[in-house]
């Protein structure tokens, strides 16, 4: 549905987008992540026809954006980072203006407005002046104009910006409910949000695509070993000799000792082996009082930080794995 190939955009000597290539399949929800200045907003403005690329192509629903901008824009819903609203209009009058600009048939306009108002929970402020609404409500008006008329493709730049926790949950649920019905590309700086609503994420840094996949796929590629955390009560025994003999264990490190003497350790194991039962048996057999044994997968935040702070994180992970994690 969305095809981006070798996309680049320069502003003088600054290369804001640098050779981006990716696809978004029909009905898929994809999160676009990156640090400030990574090129997310620039890429979205190109995808929606507000900026012309320096190089590369964008095709949406099979149509080239440069050749058929109006046709492409007719099937797009766009929520920009800074929502352009006419603040002297009421919510209802603004949405009536939007349906006219989008060219919806007269017979469909009333239902389209009603649906957008219901989806974005705007019924209570429908008659109010936009400029007198809270930032959260203005954000929802912006989302309503993007959703109105059920466009095939939604481009959402920070859709939950300015919303309170309850409103954020409502918008996340709304986006999840659109899965399979509309193709959605959304940017967000809230990493758990990307995990909750997206089928897949694209991570860009310095204008380049550095990774794509589900959070689990990226974590599996980046993590050379599985992390386990063990808590034991004091026993006077050294854990390292007991744990090292378990097949698959690569290293053990004492992390802390509590005021009550409880010791906490981090164990790195081969990610292809589940060593938890072996570790538990080895400790219990030696009379060690095992309080807790848990594994902890890399979060999307861990993945993100590793990707944007290393030149080639995947190569680094592979090199670490080849050294046995030492």
């Amino acid at each position: 549905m969305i095809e981006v190939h070798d996309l680049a955009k320069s502003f003088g000597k600054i290369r804001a987008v640098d050779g981006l290539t990716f696809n978004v399949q029909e009905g898929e929800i994809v999160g676009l992540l990156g640090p400030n200045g990574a090129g997310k907003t620039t890429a979205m403005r190109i995808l929606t026809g507000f900026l012309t690329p320096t190089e590369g192509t964008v095709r949406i629903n099979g149509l080239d954006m440069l050749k058929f901008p109006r046709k492409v824009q007719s099937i797009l819903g766009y929520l920009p980072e800074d929502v352009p609203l006419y603040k002297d209009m009421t919510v209802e009058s603004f949405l009536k203006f939007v349906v006219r600009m989008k060219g919806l048939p007269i017979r469909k306009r009333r239902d389209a407005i009603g649906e957008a108002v219901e989806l974005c929970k705007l019924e209570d402020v429908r008659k109010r002046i936009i400029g007198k609404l809270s930032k959260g409500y203005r954000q929802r008006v912006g989302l309503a104009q993007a959703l109105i008329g059920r466009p095939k493709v939604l481009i959402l730049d920070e859709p939950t910006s300015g919303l309170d926790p309850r409103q954020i949950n409502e918008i996340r649920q709304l986006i999840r409910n659109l899965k399979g019905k509309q193709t959605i590309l959304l940017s967000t700086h809230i990493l758990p949000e990307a995990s909750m609503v997206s089928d897949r994420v694209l991570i860009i840094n310095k204008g380049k695509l550095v990774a794509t996949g589900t959070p689990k796929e990226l974590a599996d590629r980046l993590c050379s070993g599985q992390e386990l955390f063990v808590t034991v009560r004091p026993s006077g025994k050294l854990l390292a000799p007991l744990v090292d003999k378990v097949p698959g264990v690569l290293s053990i490190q004492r992390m802390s000792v509590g005021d009550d003497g409880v010791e906490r350790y981090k164990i790195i194991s081969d990610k292809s082996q589940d060593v938890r039962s072996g570790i538990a048996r080895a400790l219990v057999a030696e009379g060690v009082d095992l309080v807790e044994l848990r594994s902890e997968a890399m979060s999307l935040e861990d993945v993100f930080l590793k990707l944007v702070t290393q030149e080639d994180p995947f190569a680094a992970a592979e090199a670490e794995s080849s050294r046995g994690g030492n």
Side-chain angles (χ1 to χ4, degrees):
M1 180 59 76
I2 300 175
E3 303 168 71
V4 176
H5 183 70
D6 284 339
L7 194 66
K9 180 65 178 179
S10 297
F11 298 97
K13 295 181 179 180
I14 299 174
R15 193 83 157 172
V17 176
D18 191 3
L20 279 183
T21 296
F22 64 86
N23 294 327
V24 180
Q25 302 302 317
E26 185 174 359
E28 192 177 22
I29 301 176
V30 173
L32 183 63
L33 308 178
N36 289 337
K40 303 186 301 295
T41 294
T42 299
M44 288 188 151
R45 287 174 178 168
I46 294 172
L47 264 60
T48 51
F50 284 84
L51 285 177
T52 302
T54 305
E55 300 168 19
T57 59
V58 173
R59 299 178 69 86
I60 295 180
N61 200 31
L63 296 172
D64 189 308
M65 172 61 82
L66 285 178
K67 295 179 180 177
F68 307 102
R70 296 301 299 163
K71 285 186 178 180
V72 174
Q73 288 171 339
S74 70
I75 61 169
L76 281 179
Y78 178 38
L79 175 67
E81 184 178 21
D82 298 313
V83 185
L85 301 172
Y86 293 105
K87 295 182 180 180
D88 57 342
M89 299 175 75
T90 66
V91 172
E92 186 171 61
S93 61
F94 174 71
L95 295 179
K96 286 180 178 179
F97 168 74
V98 170
V99 293
R100 291 199 303 272
M101 291 299 99
K102 288 191 173 186
L104 267 67
I106 293 175
R107 67 182 184 281
K108 294 184 178 181
R109 292 178 184 177
R110 183 175 179 178
D111 288 343
I113 291 171
E115 181 183 44
V117 166
E118 181 179 357
L119 285 172
C120 297
K121 310 289 186 184
L122 291 170
E123 189 60 51
D124 290 344
V125 298
R126 188 169 182 157
K127 302 293 185 180
R128 291 184 58 184
I129 300 294
I130 292 173
K132 294 183 179 179
L133 298 177
S134 67
K135 187 177 187 297
Y137 269 113
R138 292 199 300 271
Q139 186 73 6
R140 286 202 265 175
V141 174
L143 186 58
Q145 66 80 27
L147 291 169
I148 210 162
R150 288 188 174 268
K152 290 184 178 180
V153 178
L154 286 172
I155 308 290
L156 308 177
D157 198 353
E158 302 285 358
T160 59
S161 175
L163 303 183
D164 63 36
R166 179 181 59 81
Q167 294 168 338
I168 287 172
N169 286 331
E170 290 174 353
I171 297 303
R172 286 175 182 168
Q173 186 59 52
L174 168 60
I175 293 171
R176 283 195 293 264
N177 290 343
L178 295 174
K179 177 178 169 59
K181 302 173 185 176
Q182 289 163 284
T183 303
I184 302 174
L185 178 66
L186 65 95
S187 75
T188 178
H189 68 281
I190 306 172
L191 300 182
E193 181 167 275
S195 293
M196 283 186 249
V197 304
S198 304
D199 302 311
R200 181 166 55 93
V201 296
L202 305 168
I203 299 179
I204 66 173
N205 191 32
K206 298 178 182 178
K208 298 177 180 288
L209 181 68
V210 295
T212 180
T214 66
K216 183 180 184 307
E217 288 170 345
L218 296 177
D220 287 345
R221 290 177 64 193
L222 282 171
C223 188
S224 58
Q226 181 183 18
E227 288 190 350
L228 301 169
F229 293 88
V230 175
T231 303
V232 298
R233 298 192 191 281
S235 63
K237 296 188 177 183
L238 297 175
L239 258 63
L242 305 179
V243 172
D244 282 345
K245 65 184 180 182
V246 177
V249 170
L250 301 176
S251 66
I252 179 170
Q253 175 187 0
R254 188 162 74 170
M255 303 295 292
S256 65
V257 179
D259 293 338
D260 54 359
V262 171
E263 301 173 346
R264 294 174 178 82
Y265 293 82
K266 179 169 74 173
I267 297 172
I268 305 297
S269 68
D270 187 328
K271 64 181 178 182
S272 65
Q273 295 180 256
D274 188 347
V275 301
R276 289 173 296 179
S277 59
I279 291 172
R281 284 195 300 269
L283 296 180
V284 173
E286 293 294 329
V288 176
D289 188 356
L290 179 61
V291 177
E292 182 184 36
L293 172 59
R294 61 182 173 85
S295 61
E296 190 168 295
M298 287 182 76
S299 67
L300 183 56
E301 183 175 5
D302 296 328
V303 170
F304 178 82
L305 290 174
K306 197 162 188 176
L307 284 167
V308 301
T309 55
Q310 294 185 24
E311 290 298 319
D312 192 345
F314 293 119
E318 290 169 3
E320 184 179 347
S321 180
S322 69
R323 293 194 300 269
N326 296 320

